[in-house]
Amino acid sequence: DQALSQALPYYECDSRVKSELSLPLTSQGSLVGVLDMESFTRDFFVPERVLPCLALAELIDDSGLLS
């Protein structure tokens, strides 16, 4: 995917990856990690797939799980 190949720095682990979604994980306003998902399908992360991931990231933040 052109967007992946243009991201700097991008460290390719598997050349079959065509889509990637990376979301910051925060706790009390501080970055504590990254939720990173990859797919072998181009344009895999459409809104129907991204929204649950955003909800998960928000749940982690709200729970204080990673504090």
Side-chain angles (χ1 to χ4, degrees):
D1 183 273
Q2 184 178 12
L4 288 179
S5 65
Q6 291 179 353
L8 297 175
Y10 181 75
Y11 303 102
E12 182 177 350
C13 294
D14 190 324
S15 63
R16 296 173 296 166
V17 171
K18 301 297 182 209
S19 300
E20 182 172 14
L21 176 67
S22 297
L23 298 173
L25 296 177
T26 59
S27 181
Q28 301 175 346
S30 296
L31 181 66
V32 294
V34 176
L35 178 61
D36 184 71
M37 294 164 279
E38 299 176 333
S39 173
F40 297 150
T41 304
R42 185 181 178 99
D43 299 324
F44 181 80
F45 295 105
V46 295
E48 302 85 55
R49 293 190 175 109
V50 173
L51 290 175
C53 299
L54 290 170
L56 176 60
E58 185 176 332
L59 179 65
I60 290 170
D61 184 23
D62 292 346
S63 72
L65 183 66
L66 299 177
S67 299

